[in-house]
Amino acid sequence: MAPKIAVKDGRLAKRGGMSDTNLLLTITIVVFLLMYVLAVVVLGAGFRKPQAFFNILNENAALIILSCGMSIVMITGGIDISVGTLTALVCMSCAVHLDYKGGSVFTALLIALGIGVAFGLVQGFLVAYLDIQPFIVSLAGMFFAKGMTTIVNSTQFNVAHEGFQALKAIRVYVPGMGSINKRGIYVPAYVEPGVVIAILVVILLFVLLKWGKLGRSFYAVGGNAASANMLGINVKKTKFLAHLLCSTLAGIGGFVYFMHVGSGSPSHAAGAEMNAIASSIIGGTMLTGGVGNVVGTFFGVLSLNTIKNIVASLGLDEAWWTNITVAAMICLFLVIQSVVLMRKNEKK
Amino acid sequence: MTKLASPEKKTFGAKFKELASNQIFIPVAALLLLVLFNLIADPGFFKITLGQNSNGDPVLSGYLITILNNASELVILAIGMTLVTAASGGQDISVGANIAIAGSVILRILCGNQGARPETMQAPIIVAFLAACAVSMLFGAFNGTLVAYFKIQPMVATLILFTAGRSIAAWINNNQLPIISDASFGYFGNFIPGIPVPTPVFIAIACVIVIMLVLKFTTLGLLTQSVGINSHSSRLNGIDPAFVKFITYVILGLCVAVAGLIKVSRISSINYSVIAKDIEMDAILAVALGGNALSGGKFNMWGSILGAYVIQFLTTTLYKFNVASDALPAYKAVVVILLVVMSAPVVREKMGKAMKSAASKKTAKEAK
Amino acid sequence: MQDSAVLEMRGICKYFPGVKALQNVDFTLRQGEIHALMGENGAGKSTLIKVLTGVYEKDGGEIFIEGHEGAVSIRSPQDAQNAGISTVYQEITLCPNLTVAENMYIGRTKGALTNWKKMNEGAGKLLEALDIPAVPTQQLGSCSIAVQQMVAIARAVDMDCKVLILDEPTSSLDEQEVEKLFKLMRDLKAKGVGIIFVTHFLDQVYEVCDRITVLRDGQLVGEYIIEDLPRVQLVSKMLGKELDDMASIKNDSDAAAVDLGTPVLEAKGLSSAEGIKPFDFNIHKGEVNGFTGLLGSGRSECVRAIFGADKKTGGEVFMDGEKVKIHKPLDAMKHGIGYLPEDRKQDGIVGDLSVRENIILALQVMKGFFKPFSRAQAEAFADEYIKLLEIKTASSDTPIKQLSGGNQQKVILARWLLTNPKYLILDEPTRGIDVGTKIEIQKLVLKLAGEGKSVTFISSEIDEMLRTCSRLMVMRDRKLVGELSGDDLSQTKIMATIAGGEN
């Protein structure tokens, strides 16, 4: 991806220099690798098994999907803080549908998608065509989803539906990965189906953002909406589609979350929107728009949760330590990014 | 460029348009609608009775009093949030968590070394409050530094304390839940014996008066707006934009400390994960409802303050109609969306045009 | 539609709150002609262009384009592009976070996917053909403003357009780049493209244009063939009055004695973080001097260093013989220095604030945090200067961003005049504003000098400098290379010094 270009006559030997997006992405990946290697070397045990790594994925498949959607909205210069409570709403609706209304897994999936799309249409319309600040729109979306979840059903319950249980139990084994347990038996490493979905989402979105006309429009609108308009991009439509995509992904992420926990509860995915924003930021997406990448976001989620695991395995399992460490990590990344970009701009 | 016709000959449409283009229009209209709704649904909503509390002191009660009382913290926060929004073009989402910290500091100092249940307060309340002010302003300064000097977007910068704040609050008191049994500590969040109006109402009014005096007798308003609109120009006019942004976060810190005092005084205790939960959202909403752009620049302080009361009015109205507290957010969301859609410039422009053309048709008819 | 016309606009009207920006304007563009659109600031040129490109929705009138049946409706820039209209604006309207190549192709390619290889190749060829020093994969934001403008032009000409609009594209280009642009325009003209050219440089108009349409106060004055309209007449048509002879403002100030005692301000070995080589500078009471040099030669950076706008890296500044420390603009202001910046939009105006607030801003900041002006006092100041400088505004409450460029500039001038500075720095005060205001500003400069103030004046137009300045510092490659005064002040001598080479 690094830009390497030499015009034929060598008039311009200088390289294009790294784009902001790639620069931040590189920082993220390097920091994540360093952190994980450090964890393996210093803390050993819990981190050495491949399954330890895949468990981070299993636990956070939904967060990966939510964060990717968040990154896209952030790239266009917006924000969507409704994704967390939307996840809870999807879980609760699917749970009620399966256990109380006798629905099938397929229709549950349709419900999940439908909720996501519906939120996306409304929020996208309000943001793009009525020009209302995305923060306010998604704040209302967040409140709405929160309230609706308890209106659908106010208490937590586990889903007993057979078809769903079967789906939930599916394990995808990772070839060539595994470890030998205490009794000397080789246990292959596995991931849940949600992880496969999450990785597919990351790949698809990566392609969209890199090559898709729509993806490039996201960057253009985030870089400078007025200019993008002059360049012939339909800014309103682009913003609308970004929000639609984000909410739809939240619907899918909600279903993945549901497959992982197998229950409905008003407190599901609490604060997930903030985790998604944090992951995006750690992954090098900037809230000001125009800069970011879903691959970075993927590593952002991994970084965020690796640090949580490190804190836990240090024996500091009081909740406050996790929060404080995570906050410190966001702070560190922000300062790194801000310093790097400031210096880069100064050089110019 | 030529001016349009003289202002005397205004059609109804033009008048409406002018009224509607006033920033205060939306919060006032929302308030009137809510009042009207309650008048029709149940005029008893506005009844205020003078009763006695368990100590035999006179207290006023009624929904209006509840609204004024419960909106206090929000009003105080909205003041600081407006300034932060104007200068830095972003919002502080850590105010809820910072209230937890401020509250925790107050309780920690009042408990001294007497554990979580001291028989008497170990320090004067004023000392505890000043300490909380210092700590809150320090955390405000932390946010301000990230925003102003490291140029990090406000929402992202304050995400740090949003994440860590409640944990820090718990850590200050070793995760214990202190309870202050001295009745005088409760004065700030409840009633002072002999005065029938809840104290938070007075504190909020005092804060409003203070900020209005500050805006009148200093150039804070001009500086924050100027920096929020164009920080390059501001710098070349001798303003230090980074410092102005920084200072608004410190001011918000002070507001947080006051709100924190009211919060802990209300229950004479604290619950780290619940205290002032989601209040940052309401505070930001208050600013937006007041017709202020969340992207910064020009602001109207009265708008934000009214916005805060509107939000509380709405909440209380919904409670009155027995909406379950868990489902409350859904109704609130619908109302909020209606309000912002109505106040969206795009919609207003269309509405204004429609009114104008209707009015001109009407005058044309009358002319015939 | 007339034959050979590619574009016809009839009876175009556009209203803004309180202002009739365009009233019944007609405009016709023929095939293969370069058509200048002229007028003072606020005459409605930009508005007309923005109506044509779909940025503004028109309130009346019809637009016809060759090859389209009946009136076309252009409601967005995309519509304009589809109708064969491509535009280069004065401000850069590209996305800084995308690559150069993407900026050239985004929004006008077919298909849902981007072919990076093909795009970079195409962009590379185009850049090479137009001799633009940029790499296709470079992030646009890392290019200089002039290169960005050239990229915008490259994009516009690469589109298969019938109408090309150039809205003051030359203000950030140097002479060579302007030449390149003119060659390009002539090539396109030969291919039958109709070009609308908006500029404030009269020389440029007479160099490339075939026809001129003049607007004034939102109304059409007339359409003329270039040969039929000599310069003086063009200017008087734009102003709507017979032009005072420009020469009348020629240095009467020679009479006004320059006090050659201790300089008001003297800088020794000053350098700044913006890469200015250490330079010496002084100015006396009642003197007008100037910095000249090509764009990017460092003339703005010099005055910014004096004002403390950029970080100073060395040197000393003396005022009235005493050493002073100027680290930030406020220090300079307190010593009686005023600075009108080069980039009005970015560094000058505070857009959403009212004219009144913009006028009092600098004085208010100097007066102090705890001493705000009363409303009445501010009102009085604003009214005084609105009258004095003849600022055209609906009221002092109007947001400054609603004013035309020239009037915005006058407000910024008023801001500094209000602080009653000893020494006033005017960096390109006449850029992008109409002839009438230009002359007013030059007269004002000389008047201020007559009142005993010192003024440093910077302008891209050497004529203006010659008319106002008694001494010129010449800059080249961020270095002070010469100082001219007295008989040396002539166009040729200045040019020679700018160009360098001692022989």
Side-chain angles (χ1 to χ4, degrees):
Chain A
M1 270 183 290
K4 258 178 269 165
I5 271 288
V7 173
K8 272 176 241 150
D9 57 356
R11 178 169 54 102
L12 285 159
K14 93 172 169 171
R15 289 158 47 137
M18 224 177 199
S19 71
D20 295 347
T21 298
N22 290 344
L23 183 67
L24 295 182
L25 175 64
T26 314
I27 294 176
T28 306
I29 295 180
V30 168
V31 171
F32 167 71
L33 289 178
L34 282 179
M35 203 162 65
Y36 206 86
V37 168
L38 197 76
V40 170
V41 172
V42 180
L43 298 167
F47 290 90
R48 208 169 289 147
K49 284 187 202 157
Q51 189 59 47
F53 175 75
F54 290 115
N55 276 344
I56 297 182
L57 287 179
N58 288 337
E59 291 291 324
N60 294 294
L63 184 58
I64 291 172
I65 299 173
L66 296 184
S67 304
C68 285
M70 184 68 79
S71 296
I72 285 176
V73 174
M74 280 166 68
I75 287 172
T76 60
I79 188 114
D80 185 343
I81 54 170
S82 71
V83 294
T85 56
L86 188 53
T87 301
L89 177 61
V90 166
C91 288
M92 187 61 92
S93 305
C94 290
V96 169
H97 177 70
L98 286 176
D99 268 22
Y100 296 168
K101 310 279 177 196
S104 72
V105 172
F106 179 69
T107 46
L109 179 61
L110 285 185
I111 286 177
L113 277 174
I115 292 174
V117 170
F119 266 75
L121 288 174
V122 175
Q123 296 192 141
F125 175 76
L126 293 175
V127 169
Y129 293 100
L130 295 190
D131 214 12
I132 303 172
Q133 291 144 339
F135 188 90
I136 295 298
V137 169
S138 57
L139 178 66
M142 172 182 165
F143 282 152
F144 187 73
K146 201 185 214 173
M148 281 313 286
T149 309
T150 57
I151 290 173
V152 171
N153 190 3
S154 59
T155 51
Q156 169 161 8
F157 71 102
N158 290 328
V159 176
H161 188 276
E162 277 177 23
F164 176 71
Q165 286 300 340
L167 178 69
K168 188 175 180 302
I170 292 176
R171 295 286 179 269
V172 180
Y173 292 98
V174 185
M177 293 280 196
S179 56
I180 293 159
N181 73 3
K182 280 175 202 153
R183 275 179 280 167
I185 301 163
Y186 179 81
V187 183
Y190 70 89
V191 293
E192 292 174 14
V195 176
V196 180
I197 299 175
I199 288 176
L200 274 178
V201 164
V202 172
I203 293 172
L204 282 176
L205 291 181
F206 174 75
V207 171
L208 175 78
L209 287 178
K210 175 80 186 165
W211 286 283
K213 213 168 160 183
L214 179 65
R216 301 316 297 174
S217 302
F218 289 153
Y219 284 97
V221 168
N224 186 335
S227 291
N229 185 34
M230 303 283 198
L231 291 176
I233 291 167
N234 190 334
V235 173
K236 288 180 177 168
K237 196 171 131 200
T238 308
K239 280 189 182 171
F240 174 74
L241 289 176
H243 280 273
L244 180 57
L245 193 54
C246 177
S247 294
T248 309
L249 285 172
I252 297 173
F255 194 78
V256 168
Y257 193 95
F258 181 53
M259 282 202 294
H260 181 70
V261 295
S263 63
S265 159
S267 62
H268 272 343
E273 62 280 347
M274 289 303 163
N275 282 327
I277 294 172
S279 304
S280 295
I281 290 163
I282 293 173
T285 304
M286 300 188 72
L287 251 189
T288 40
V291 178
N293 190 307
V294 284
V295 176
T297 307
F298 177 74
F299 282 102
V301 175
L302 291 184
S303 301
L304 193 68
N305 290 286
T306 305
I307 198 96
K308 281 185 185 169
N309 288 358
I310 291 177
V311 173
S313 70
L314 282 172
L316 303 165
D317 47 55
E318 283 102 335
W320 76 59
W321 276 111
T322 318
N323 286 339
I324 291 175
T325 326
V326 167
M329 181 164 155
I330 300 172
C331 184
L332 180 76
F333 263 90
L334 287 174
V335 172
I336 291 176
Q337 289 176 2
S338 130
V339 169
V340 167
L341 289 184
M342 263 200 261
R343 288 190 63 176
K344 198 177 162 214
N345 290 337
E346 253 171 37
K347 257 189 240 160
K348 192 182 78 190
Chain B
M1 298 200 186
T2 39
K3 277 193 205 171
L4 277 181
S6 60
E8 286 89 54
K9 288 187 245 165
K10 269 183 193 158
T11 59
F12 172 71
K15 259 188 216 155
F16 177 82
K17 212 175 162 189
E18 191 185 283
L19 191 70
S21 65
N22 192 325
Q23 234 194 328
I24 293 289
F25 176 71
I26 284 297
V28 170
L31 201 58
L32 287 179
L33 274 178
L34 282 168
V35 169
L36 202 67
F37 173 78
N38 280 303
L39 268 179
I40 294 166
D42 176 13
F45 187 87
F46 297 96
K47 210 166 82 186
I48 294 173
T49 49
L50 185 64
Q52 282 186 337
N53 66 2
S54 48
N55 293 338
D57 292 315
V59 292
L60 285 174
S61 61
Y63 286 109
L64 282 184
I65 298 297
T66 312
I67 292 168
L68 286 176
N69 183 6
N70 289 352
S72 306
E73 292 97 321
L74 200 52
V75 168
I76 295 164
L77 288 180
I79 291 170
M81 193 67 85
T82 308
L83 294 175
V84 161
T85 302
S88 67
Q91 290 74 37
D92 184 342
I93 58 167
S94 68
V95 288
N98 286 346
I99 284 179
I101 296 177
S104 192
V105 167
I106 290 174
L107 293 177
R108 180 79 187 85
I109 288 182
L110 292 181
C111 290
N113 50 8
Q114 299 291 303
R117 309 277 154 94
E119 308 245 316
T120 55
M121 290 189 286
Q122 299 299 304
I125 294 172
I126 182 74
V127 172
F129 174 63
L130 287 178
C133 287
V135 171
S136 291
M137 285 160 80
L138 202 68
F139 279 109
F142 172 75
N143 284 334
T145 307
L146 289 179
V147 172
Y149 297 102
F150 286 94
K151 303 195 178 9
I152 298 170
Q153 306 97 307
M155 219 197 113
V156 180
T158 52
L159 179 64
I160 296 167
L161 278 176
F162 174 89
T163 313
R166 290 174 192 277
S167 300
I168 294 172
W171 171 74
I172 289 172
N173 273 307
N174 285 322
N175 213 10
Q176 287 173 315
L177 302 177
I179 295 172
I180 304 294
S181 41
D182 195 317
S184 67
F185 181 63
Y187 290 170
F188 301 95
N190 301 294
F191 294 88
I192 296 173
I195 299 173
V197 177
T199 324
V201 177
F202 294 115
I203 299 179
I205 291 173
C207 287
V208 170
I209 292 173
V210 167
I211 192 65
M212 288 306 163
L213 289 178
V214 167
L215 287 178
K216 186 157 172 56
F217 291 106
T218 71
T219 58
L220 185 70
L222 183 67
L223 296 192
T224 46
Q225 296 185 64
S226 176
V227 167
I229 298 165
N230 187 338
S231 66
H232 289 278
S233 299
S234 304
R235 202 174 77 82
L236 290 177
N237 281 296
I239 302 171
D240 183 345
F243 185 71
V244 171
K245 284 182 194 170
F246 172 81
I247 211 74
T248 57
Y249 282 84
V250 177
I251 295 173
L252 178 57
L254 192 58
C255 296
V256 162
V258 178
L261 174 68
I262 298 178
K263 274 280 182 223
V264 286
S265 171
R266 280 188 197 277
I267 56 169
S268 291
S269 181
I270 191 168
N271 181 334
Y272 303 111
S273 57
V274 174
I275 182 174
K277 193 154 173 50
D278 291 340
I279 202 168
E280 55 275 355
M281 302 301 170
D282 278 348
I284 297 169
L285 205 53
V287 175
L289 276 184
N292 300 305
L294 293 187
S295 49
K298 278 194 89 79
F299 71 82
N300 184 326
M301 189 58 82
W302 287 115
S304 301
I305 292 166
L306 262 175
Y309 282 112
V310 169
I311 292 171
Q312 192 57 47
F313 206 119
L314 175 63
T315 311
T316 307
T317 306
L318 289 172
Y319 272 129
K320 159 124 200 313
F321 288 94
N322 289 326
V323 171
S325 69
D326 284 338
L328 193 75
Y331 294 91
K332 214 164 161 182
V334 173
V335 178
V336 166
I337 281 296
L338 285 178
L339 284 179
V340 287
V341 166
M342 262 162 50
S343 63
V346 183
V347 181
R348 283 170 126 192
E349 201 175 296
K350 294 230 164 92
M351 259 171 33
K353 265 186 190 164
M355 293 295 272
K356 212 174 176 179
S357 69
S360 64
K361 265 179 209 160
K362 206 171 133 196
T363 46
K365 249 184 214 168
E366 280 164 6
K368 275 177 192 172
Chain C
M1 260 174 93
Q2 301 174 18
D3 298 340
S4 81
V6 281
L7 166 78
E8 216 176 302
M9 300 173 82
R10 263 194 236 141
I12 302 294
C13 297
K14 175 75 200 170
Y15 310 112
F16 291 116
V19 175
K20 287 179 182 166
L22 288 176
Q23 303 175 57
N24 248 335
V25 173
D26 297 335
F27 180 82
T28 310
L29 181 70
R30 292 157 196 82
Q31 211 167 30
E33 78 171 358
I34 301 178
H35 197 137
L37 188 56
M38 303 293 291
E40 285 198 277
N41 274 309
K45 293 165 303 193
S46 294
T47 314
L48 186 68
I49 301 249
K50 286 188 170 156
V51 165
L52 179 56
T53 54
V55 178
Y56 293 152
E57 216 171 304
K58 60 181 186 295
D59 294 320
E62 287 173 317
I63 300 174
F64 300 93
I65 291 174
E66 187 207 2
H68 292 262
E69 277 295 309
V72 290
S73 110
I74 297 175
R75 310 188 64 171
S76 70
Q78 294 94 288
D79 289 349
Q81 268 183 29
N82 294 337
I85 300 171
S86 66
T87 318
V88 179
Y89 295 94
Q90 179 180 14
E91 321 92 64
I92 307 289
T93 53
L94 300 175
C95 295
N97 59 328
L98 302 184
T99 68
V100 168
E102 259 196 298
N103 268 299
M104 288 163 73
Y105 289 100
I106 199 165
R108 63 187 187 93
T109 46
K110 300 263 173 331
L113 292 180
T114 311
N115 186 340
W116 284 90
K117 203 168 154 238
K118 202 173 130 202
M119 190 169 84
N120 286 336
E121 275 171 10
K125 273 182 203 148
L126 207 55
L127 291 172
E128 210 174 346
L130 299 180
D131 205 23
I132 302 170
V135 182
T137 51
Q138 193 177 3
Q139 206 170 319
L140 185 85
S142 65
C143 300
S144 72
I145 296 289
V147 169
Q148 293 189 25
Q149 188 66 285
M150 289 301 284
V151 170
I153 293 169
R155 174 190 164 95
V157 301
D158 190 49
M159 284 197 255
D160 197 16
C161 57
K162 286 191 222 109
V163 178
L164 174 65
I165 303 170
L166 299 168
D167 186 359
E168 289 197 51
T170 54
S171 51
S172 60
L173 302 185
D174 66 26
E175 234 165 287
Q176 283 178 328
E177 285 161 333
V178 170
E179 269 315 309
K180 262 186 253 169
L181 175 64
F182 285 176
K183 184 176 169 297
L184 203 66
M185 284 165 71
R186 293 192 185 104
D187 290 349
L188 289 169
K189 176 181 153 180
K191 283 184 201 159
V193 176
I195 300 174
I196 304 176
F197 186 47
V198 182
T199 180
H200 279 108
F201 299 103
L202 297 185
D203 291 345
Q204 296 181 355
V205 171
Y206 283 90
E207 193 177 336
V208 290
C209 295
D210 305 310
R211 217 179 278 260
I212 302 177
T213 290
V214 181
L215 298 181
R216 190 174 65 234
D217 287 338
Q219 283 168 318
L220 179 70
V221 176
E223 191 197 76
Y224 312 91
I225 294 174
I226 197 123
E227 288 84 16
D228 300 347
L229 191 71
R231 261 173 216 236
V232 186
Q233 274 197 34
L234 169 61
V235 173
S236 73
K237 293 241 187 283
M238 286 162 63
L239 294 176
K241 58 187 170 202
E242 290 308 311
L243 184 64
D244 317 23
D245 189 8
M246 291 240 195
S248 73
I249 56 166
K250 171 64 196 159
N251 266 340
D252 308 327
S253 69
D254 288 339
V258 172
D259 179 355
L260 286 175
T262 319
V264 170
L265 181 136
E266 184 170 18
K268 286 182 183 161
L270 205 59
S271 62
S272 83
E274 292 297 306
I276 288 296
K277 309 262 161 47
F279 68 97
D280 296 338
F281 171 82
N282 65 54
I283 187 162
H284 291 91
K285 195 168 186 298
E287 184 182 0
V288 181
N289 65 10
F291 281 93
T292 182
L294 296 176
L295 204 87
S297 60
R299 40 182 211 216
S300 294
E301 285 77 0
C302 281
V303 291
R304 286 177 69 93
I306 294 170
F307 190 64
D310 294 330
K311 203 175 155 214
K312 201 153 44 177
T313 51
E316 293 174 322
V317 176
F318 300 86
M319 291 199 73
D320 295 323
E322 276 179 52
K323 189 171 170 183
V324 292
K325 280 185 183 151
I326 297 177
H327 296 297
K328 53 181 197 285
L330 189 59
D331 299 337
M333 287 157 64
K334 285 195 170 143
H335 285 108
I337 306 177
Y339 168 60
L340 182 141
E342 181 185 15
D343 188 335
R344 181 176 61 231
K345 205 167 147 195
Q346 203 192 327
D347 293 336
I349 64 167
V350 183
D352 289 315
L353 287 188
S354 66
V355 169
R356 180 183 64 249
E357 285 162 316
N358 268 286
I359 288 178
I360 63 157
L361 186 60
L363 186 61
Q364 178 66 77
V365 171
M366 282 167 73
K367 200 174 167 212
F369 183 73
F370 293 104
K371 292 173 187 158
F373 285 117
S374 68
R375 172 82 184 218
Q377 181 70 62
E379 215 50 273
F381 282 142
D383 290 342
E384 181 189 338
Y385 279 90
I386 288 174
K387 221 173 126 195
L388 187 74
L389 298 181
E390 294 175 0
I391 299 170
K392 281 182 201 159
T393 170
S395 79
S396 67
D397 256 337
T398 314
I400 191 173
K401 64 179 180 187
Q402 287 181 11
L403 271 54
S404 70
N407 283 310
Q408 290 182 359
Q409 195 69 292
K410 284 183 184 175
V411 172
I412 310 296
L413 256 174
R415 176 192 289 167
W416 291 112
L417 293 179
L418 183 62
T419 64
N420 192 20
K422 272 195 284 196
Y423 172 40
L424 188 58
I425 302 168
L426 304 176
D427 192 353
E428 294 265 20
T430 56
R431 176 195 282 188
I433 64 176
D434 56 88
V435 183
T437 314
K438 277 182 185 182
I439 295 170
E440 277 175 52
I441 287 179
Q442 292 168 43
K443 280 183 177 165
L444 184 71
V445 166
L446 294 173
K447 185 169 149 249
L448 290 173
E451 287 166 6
K453 294 190 193 308
S454 312
V455 182
T456 292
F457 185 85
I458 297 177
S459 168
S460 294
E461 294 182 44
I462 291 177
D463 288 357
E464 286 183 5
M465 306 274 287
L466 284 174
R467 245 175 264 136
T468 47
C469 302
S470 59
R471 194 152 57 98
L472 284 183
M473 323 290 139
V474 183
M475 301 289 299
R476 185 171 67 234
D477 296 336
R478 313 210 148 218
K479 201 171 155 193
L480 186 66
V481 292
E483 194 179 312
L484 303 174
S485 61
D487 293 339
D488 286 343
L489 279 181
S490 69
Q491 192 115 8
T492 40
K493 184 79 188 175
I494 295 170
M495 289 297 201
T497 318
I498 288 176
E502 267 64 45
N503 37 0

